[in-house]
Amino acid sequence: MSVFESSSATNRPITAVAWASNGTTCPSHFTLVSLTEDGGSANFSRGFGLKSGYFLSYSKDLSGGMVVADVQLISDKETIPHGYCYIPEYLEPKASVGKKKRVCVRVVPVGSVAAAVLELKMTAKNKTVLQQYTCLGDMNGFVVWCLKGPFSSPVPLAKPRSVSLDMRTLSLEGAGPPQPLKPSNLPTALPKVSRRRSNLETKGSLEGVCGSGNHSNIFGITAMDGVPFTLHPKFESQSNTKASVSSLCDIWVKSVQDIENEYNYTFAVEELASKRIPPAVTTS
């Protein structure tokens, strides 16, 4: 790992802390703290003939949008602080974690804090002091240290967008090479032509064919070819008549008050009908 990659990984915040028995039970996105800074085993389970143990592990996966703002070691008689939670356990079936001291963390959204826990390390008790690290306390013969500071979250990369053929044609740059025909960029269908226009075009083409002496398409001539288009005299007389100016001057534009006066209705008949006493119903 280069110096740049190492510094970049250090600046990334820890997003979760957990107990794990070994690399098999440890989740794939977690890093197992298997050794102390002194080079010894970081197994918190101590005793002769023990086949399983438990190690601290941490994750720096920011996909969940949460970071660890603080880590504390508390005894079994202390009440867990407000906003903290015990770390989860990924252990083998017969393994267990000592309860005399517990590890708890405060997990917050990544955008709510400017500083978070960046590293977790352990040393043998009363042997090594880590500079710039905060001592959390001793547990089962180990001293737990954490490094806090400002963190840098990775910049999200823009997803490449596929530009369609229609969008490329709208570009201000010069036109590129012609694209091969695909189902997505087939040429559009030709616009529909009216029947009369098609007949006129057919007539023009037939005249060109007859003028050239080629009579192979003579059977394409219809009965309407050559007939001039004219309107019936009855409709021509109606289209030539114009409205007189005097008839337009006779139009009376009613005002709002005129309309109200014309359609005024007092509903007096309905009012009298509502006040009329209905006849009494007698039973025989």
Side-chain angles (χ1 to χ4, degrees):
M1 179 182 294
S2 64
V3 176
F4 177 77
E5 292 175 346
S6 177
S7 61
S8 175
T10 304
N11 290 334
R12 292 174 55 192
I14 291 178
T15 58
V17 183
W19 292 112
S21 292
N22 46 50
T24 305
T25 62
C26 183
S28 58
H29 57 281
F30 275 71
T31 300
L32 191 72
V33 184
S34 58
L35 297 176
T36 66
E37 293 300 303
D38 314 303
S41 174
N43 189 355
F44 280 83
S45 179
R46 302 214 172 188
F48 180 75
L50 293 177
K51 296 182 180 180
S52 62
Y54 58 98
F55 300 81
L56 275 177
S57 62
Y58 61 86
S59 171
K60 292 193 174 185
D61 184 13
L62 283 171
S63 59
M66 308 293 285
V67 295
V68 176
D70 190 27
V71 182
Q72 288 190 15
L73 294 182
I74 62 174
S75 65
D76 55 351
K77 298 180 180 180
E78 294 182 58
T79 305
I80 186 171
H82 177 70
Y84 286 73
C85 63
Y86 293 121
I87 62 176
E89 301 175 358
Y90 302 100
L91 305 176
E92 293 179 350
K94 296 182 180 181
S96 62
V97 175
K99 304 300 181 182
K100 291 184 178 181
K101 282 196 175 181
R102 306 288 298 273
V103 180
C104 57
V105 295
R106 182 165 67 93
V107 183
V108 296
V110 64
S112 62
V113 291
V117 178
L118 304 179
E119 286 292 336
L120 278 178
K121 291 185 178 182
M122 290 185 301
T123 61
K125 191 175 180 180
N126 300 328
K127 280 191 176 182
T128 307
V129 176
L130 300 181
Q131 300 295 331
Q132 299 179 352
Y133 279 73
T134 302
C135 179
L136 302 179
D138 62 282
M139 181 178 179
N140 287 22
F142 296 107
V143 180
V144 183
W145 306 78
C146 76
L147 175 65
K148 297 181 181 179
F151 60 89
S152 59
S153 56
V155 180
L157 298 177
K159 295 182 179 180
R161 297 182 178 181
S162 58
V163 182
S164 62
L165 179 63
D166 296 336
M167 293 299 295
R168 285 196 294 268
T169 57
L170 297 177
S171 175
L172 297 178
E173 300 176 357
Q179 299 292 330
L181 289 180
K182 296 180 180 179
S184 59
N185 60 358
L186 290 176
T188 57
L190 295 177
K192 294 184 178 180
V193 184
S194 63
R195 182 177 180 182
R196 176 169 178 78
R197 180 179 175 184
S198 61
N199 292 338
L200 293 176
E201 292 178 353
T202 306
K203 176 184 175 182
S205 61
L206 287 175
E207 290 178 354
V209 170
C210 294
S212 61
N214 187 358
H215 301 281
S216 59
N217 294 330
I218 193 66
F219 297 101
I221 301 176
T222 63
M224 293 299 298
D225 291 335
V227 178
F229 176 78
T230 57
L231 288 175
H232 193 274
K234 179 177 67 172
F235 299 104
E236 289 183 354
S237 61
Q238 293 180 1
S239 62
N240 293 331
T241 58
K242 296 182 180 179
S244 61
V245 180
S246 60
S247 62
L248 296 177
C249 295
D250 295 338
I251 298 176
W252 175 40
V253 180
K254 297 180 181 181
S255 63
V256 178
Q257 188 62 38
D258 296 335
I259 296 174
E260 291 182 354
N261 294 336
E262 183 177 353
Y263 296 98
N264 184 25
Y265 187 69
T266 61
F267 292 94
V269 177
E270 286 78 2
E271 185 178 2
L272 292 175
S274 64
K275 294 180 180 179
R276 188 179 303 164
I277 301 174
V281 179
T282 59
T283 58
S284 57

